[in-house]
Amino acid sequence: MPSCSFSKAVDQALAQAMARDDRIVVFGEDVPMLRPELFARFGARRVLGTPISEGAFVGAAVGAAMAGLRPVVEVMMVDFIAVALDPILNHMAKLEAFSDGKWRCPVVLRAACGAGYGDGGQHGQALWGLLGGIPGLTVVVPSTPLDAAGLMLSALAADGPVIFLEHKLLSESWLEFLGRGGRTTVTFDVPPEGATGEVPDPCSPTPIGSAETRRSGGDLTIASLAVGVHRALAAAEALERRGISAEVIDLRTVRPLDRATVTSSVARTGRLLVVDEDVREMGISGELAASVLEAGLAPRYRRVCTEGTLPYDRAREAQALPHVAQIVAAALELTEARPPL
């Protein structure tokens, strides 16, 4: 099976779907430059650049979907969704409900998310909790190239709007474009298993709403997504050296959330640790806590999340984001096997 980078896997899946379905069009800021292979293969009528006007071109995607196309609209950073929230919140998310199912909005909104390269609090947010709280939207956040390709295929086949988020530390094209900028003097803490992996060509869809158990364990359950999955796996290895067996669940989809996989695991381990790069309050960590309580469980619980606005300074940013030492310390508190680090 050929090895593939995260961003190449997404574009490979897009090309695979575009070759089969000429209703799929891709547009957004700098898209012909960012997706040169798609532009060369499918041309300017299906791969289009737009002005810097997120509200306008996301709104245009809603109209294009209602007219029969299946648009993939790119918002360069999820942070910029703030200026396009009306077509997302009040149009694409509600069209099916308002029309009693007579209209559908098969839009894929693709955006880079996440921090870890020193771009400040207005460029490094996750925001999947905010978007996952909107009824009518599906939100996916892959953590490996294989799932990135598979979830893009599933998003393109969906009848409703899907928010497809790519963490910048996993996507080498976004990291180069937004973080490195050709410099050789900067380094980033990129989890190699998330940035590169085996992806078949052609690839197969990854089911939306289905979590994946990345590591089995019996002492506690760690649930996370995107880069957090890889930080959790590194923490699980450290915990194993201390005699603690951690199960690591990759949520993959924020909405709909695979509550069954998480509650099933927590029912066995009796402990839940949520690792979430998104903000602590009103997010996925609280939603998972509610899910296990509603399932009749009463596990011991901790969460490692981002709190407050991310700083520019990379050393301070690294401490603000969920990291391995934090996860290990929280797991040790949960298991009470060792004092916190």
PDB file of all heavy atoms in Angstrom, residues 305 310-311 313-323 325-326:
ATOM      1  N   CYS A 305      -7.602  20.148  28.405  1.00  0.00           N
ATOM      2  CA  CYS A 305      -8.122  20.971  27.306  1.00  0.00           C
ATOM      3  C   CYS A 305      -7.320  22.266  27.226  1.00  0.00           C
ATOM      4  O   CYS A 305      -6.498  22.569  28.083  1.00  0.00           O
ATOM      5  CB  CYS A 305      -9.588  21.316  27.540  1.00  0.00           C
ATOM      6  SG  CYS A 305     -10.672  19.910  27.858  1.00  0.00           S
ATOM      7  N   LEU A 310      -4.985  31.386  23.139  1.00  0.00           N
ATOM      8  CA  LEU A 310      -3.633  30.891  22.890  1.00  0.00           C
ATOM      9  C   LEU A 310      -2.662  32.051  22.676  1.00  0.00           C
ATOM     10  O   LEU A 310      -2.960  33.004  21.965  1.00  0.00           O
ATOM     11  CB  LEU A 310      -3.621  29.994  21.639  1.00  0.00           C
ATOM     12  CG  LEU A 310      -4.283  28.630  21.783  1.00  0.00           C
ATOM     13  CD1 LEU A 310      -4.387  27.961  20.411  1.00  0.00           C
ATOM     14  CD2 LEU A 310      -3.507  27.754  22.751  1.00  0.00           C
ATOM     15  N   PRO A 311      -1.480  31.965  23.273  1.00  0.00           N
ATOM     16  CA  PRO A 311      -0.469  33.011  23.073  1.00  0.00           C
ATOM     17  C   PRO A 311       0.307  32.815  21.765  1.00  0.00           C
ATOM     18  O   PRO A 311       0.360  31.716  21.220  1.00  0.00           O
ATOM     19  CB  PRO A 311       0.450  32.826  24.280  1.00  0.00           C
ATOM     20  CG  PRO A 311       0.327  31.379  24.623  1.00  0.00           C
ATOM     21  CD  PRO A 311      -1.063  30.964  24.257  1.00  0.00           C
ATOM     22  N   ASP A 313       3.678  33.373  21.533  1.00  0.00           N
ATOM     23  CA  ASP A 313       4.976  32.802  21.884  1.00  0.00           C
ATOM     24  C   ASP A 313       4.896  31.276  21.874  1.00  0.00           C
ATOM     25  O   ASP A 313       4.063  30.684  22.560  1.00  0.00           O
ATOM     26  CB  ASP A 313       5.372  33.306  23.272  1.00  0.00           C
ATOM     27  CG  ASP A 313       6.612  32.612  23.775  1.00  0.00           C
ATOM     28  OD1 ASP A 313       7.673  32.799  23.176  1.00  0.00           O
ATOM     29  OD2 ASP A 313       6.482  31.839  24.758  1.00  0.00           O
ATOM     30  N   ARG A 314       5.798  30.655  21.133  1.00  0.00           N
ATOM     31  CA  ARG A 314       5.653  29.216  20.910  1.00  0.00           C
ATOM     32  C   ARG A 314       5.905  28.400  22.175  1.00  0.00           C
ATOM     33  O   ARG A 314       5.318  27.336  22.352  1.00  0.00           O
ATOM     34  CB  ARG A 314       6.566  28.755  19.783  1.00  0.00           C
ATOM     35  CG  ARG A 314       6.036  29.239  18.421  1.00  0.00           C
ATOM     36  CD  ARG A 314       6.643  28.500  17.282  1.00  0.00           C
ATOM     37  NE  ARG A 314       6.515  27.073  17.384  1.00  0.00           N
ATOM     38  CZ  ARG A 314       7.364  26.227  16.843  1.00  0.00           C
ATOM     39  NH1 ARG A 314       8.396  26.682  16.175  1.00  0.00           N
ATOM     40  NH2 ARG A 314       7.193  24.936  16.977  1.00  0.00           N
ATOM     41  N   ALA A 315       6.773  28.869  23.019  1.00  0.00           N
ATOM     42  CA  ALA A 315       7.013  28.131  24.265  1.00  0.00           C
ATOM     43  C   ALA A 315       5.764  28.170  25.150  1.00  0.00           C
ATOM     44  O   ALA A 315       5.355  27.149  25.722  1.00  0.00           O
ATOM     45  CB  ALA A 315       8.214  28.729  25.001  1.00  0.00           C
ATOM     46  N   ARG A 316       5.153  29.354  25.237  1.00  0.00           N
ATOM     47  CA  ARG A 316       3.924  29.462  26.039  1.00  0.00           C
ATOM     48  C   ARG A 316       2.769  28.740  25.360  1.00  0.00           C
ATOM     49  O   ARG A 316       1.917  28.139  26.011  1.00  0.00           O
ATOM     50  CB  ARG A 316       3.573  30.932  26.254  1.00  0.00           C
ATOM     51  CG  ARG A 316       4.566  31.675  27.139  1.00  0.00           C
ATOM     52  CD  ARG A 316       4.287  33.162  27.155  1.00  0.00           C
ATOM     53  NE  ARG A 316       2.939  33.446  27.635  1.00  0.00           N
ATOM     54  CZ  ARG A 316       2.235  34.520  27.281  1.00  0.00           C
ATOM     55  NH1 ARG A 316       2.747  35.391  26.434  1.00  0.00           N
ATOM     56  NH2 ARG A 316       1.023  34.708  27.752  1.00  0.00           N
ATOM     57  N   GLU A 317       2.746  28.793  24.020  1.00  0.00           N
ATOM     58  CA  GLU A 317       1.690  28.085  23.290  1.00  0.00           C
ATOM     59  C   GLU A 317       1.771  26.585  23.552  1.00  0.00           C
ATOM     60  O   GLU A 317       0.746  25.919  23.780  1.00  0.00           O
ATOM     61  CB  GLU A 317       1.825  28.353  21.788  1.00  0.00           C
ATOM     62  CG  GLU A 317       0.785  27.644  20.935  1.00  0.00           C
ATOM     63  CD  GLU A 317       1.162  27.656  19.468  1.00  0.00           C
ATOM     64  OE1 GLU A 317       2.364  27.505  19.153  1.00  0.00           O
ATOM     65  OE2 GLU A 317       0.258  27.830  18.634  1.00  0.00           O
ATOM     66  N   ALA A 318       2.995  26.046  23.546  1.00  0.00           N
ATOM     67  CA  ALA A 318       3.172  24.599  23.764  1.00  0.00           C
ATOM     68  C   ALA A 318       2.651  24.179  25.125  1.00  0.00           C
ATOM     69  O   ALA A 318       2.116  23.078  25.287  1.00  0.00           O
ATOM     70  CB  ALA A 318       4.645  24.232  23.608  1.00  0.00           C
ATOM     71  N   GLN A 319       2.815  25.060  26.112  1.00  0.00           N
ATOM     72  CA  GLN A 319       2.307  24.735  27.449  1.00  0.00           C
ATOM     73  C   GLN A 319       0.798  24.887  27.541  1.00  0.00           C
ATOM     74  O   GLN A 319       0.142  24.240  28.361  1.00  0.00           O
ATOM     75  CB  GLN A 319       2.988  25.636  28.488  1.00  0.00           C
ATOM     76  CG  GLN A 319       4.460  25.322  28.691  1.00  0.00           C
ATOM     77  CD  GLN A 319       4.697  23.849  29.037  1.00  0.00           C
ATOM     78  OE1 GLN A 319       4.099  23.335  29.979  1.00  0.00           O
ATOM     79  NE2 GLN A 319       5.549  23.172  28.264  1.00  0.00           N
ATOM     80  N   ALA A 320       0.246  25.771  26.709  1.00  0.00           N
ATOM     81  CA  ALA A 320      -1.203  25.994  26.734  1.00  0.00           C
ATOM     82  C   ALA A 320      -1.971  24.876  26.046  1.00  0.00           C
ATOM     83  O   ALA A 320      -3.131  24.609  26.387  1.00  0.00           O
ATOM     84  CB  ALA A 320      -1.530  27.333  26.062  1.00  0.00           C
ATOM     85  N   LEU A 321      -1.342  24.230  25.065  1.00  0.00           N
ATOM     86  CA  LEU A 321      -2.013  23.142  24.346  1.00  0.00           C
ATOM     87  C   LEU A 321      -1.867  21.832  25.122  1.00  0.00           C
ATOM     88  O   LEU A 321      -0.883  21.626  25.842  1.00  0.00           O
ATOM     89  CB  LEU A 321      -1.383  22.976  22.953  1.00  0.00           C
ATOM     90  CG  LEU A 321      -1.577  24.151  21.996  1.00  0.00           C
ATOM     91  CD1 LEU A 321      -0.668  23.991  20.772  1.00  0.00           C
ATOM     92  CD2 LEU A 321      -3.034  24.240  21.560  1.00  0.00           C
ATOM     93  N   PRO A 322      -2.840  20.925  24.981  1.00  0.00           N
ATOM     94  CA  PRO A 322      -2.693  19.619  25.634  1.00  0.00           C
ATOM     95  C   PRO A 322      -1.397  18.925  25.206  1.00  0.00           C
ATOM     96  O   PRO A 322      -1.123  18.814  24.010  1.00  0.00           O
ATOM     97  CB  PRO A 322      -3.926  18.847  25.142  1.00  0.00           C
ATOM     98  CG  PRO A 322      -4.923  19.899  24.817  1.00  0.00           C
ATOM     99  CD  PRO A 322      -4.123  21.057  24.282  1.00  0.00           C
ATOM    100  N   HIS A 323      -0.589  18.526  26.168  1.00  0.00           N
ATOM    101  CA  HIS A 323       0.673  17.870  25.835  1.00  0.00           C
ATOM    102  C   HIS A 323       0.839  16.596  26.670  1.00  0.00           C
ATOM    103  O   HIS A 323       0.058  16.346  27.606  1.00  0.00           O
ATOM    104  CB  HIS A 323       1.856  18.817  26.016  1.00  0.00           C
ATOM    105  CG  HIS A 323       1.929  19.481  27.353  1.00  0.00           C
ATOM    106  ND1 HIS A 323       2.427  18.856  28.469  1.00  0.00           N
ATOM    107  CD2 HIS A 323       1.544  20.723  27.761  1.00  0.00           C
ATOM    108  CE1 HIS A 323       2.370  19.672  29.493  1.00  0.00           C
ATOM    109  NE2 HIS A 323       1.823  20.824  29.097  1.00  0.00           N
ATOM    110  N   ALA A 325       2.941  15.375  28.904  1.00  0.00           N
ATOM    111  CA  ALA A 325       3.148  15.391  30.358  1.00  0.00           C
ATOM    112  C   ALA A 325       1.839  15.684  31.097  1.00  0.00           C
ATOM    113  O   ALA A 325       1.565  15.090  32.155  1.00  0.00           O
ATOM    114  CB  ALA A 325       4.211  16.435  30.715  1.00  0.00           C
ATOM    115  N   GLN A 326       1.041  16.601  30.544  1.00  0.00           N
ATOM    116  CA  GLN A 326      -0.263  16.905  31.153  1.00  0.00           C
ATOM    117  C   GLN A 326      -1.160  15.675  31.166  1.00  0.00           C
ATOM    118  O   GLN A 326      -1.854  15.391  32.149  1.00  0.00           O
ATOM    119  CB  GLN A 326      -0.977  17.989  30.333  1.00  0.00           C
ATOM    120  CG  GLN A 326      -0.755  19.421  30.739  1.00  0.00           C
ATOM    121  CD  GLN A 326      -1.617  20.318  29.870  1.00  0.00           C
ATOM    122  OE1 GLN A 326      -1.629  20.175  28.640  1.00  0.00           O
ATOM    123  NE2 GLN A 326      -2.329  21.225  30.487  1.00  0.00           N
TER     124      GLN A 326
END
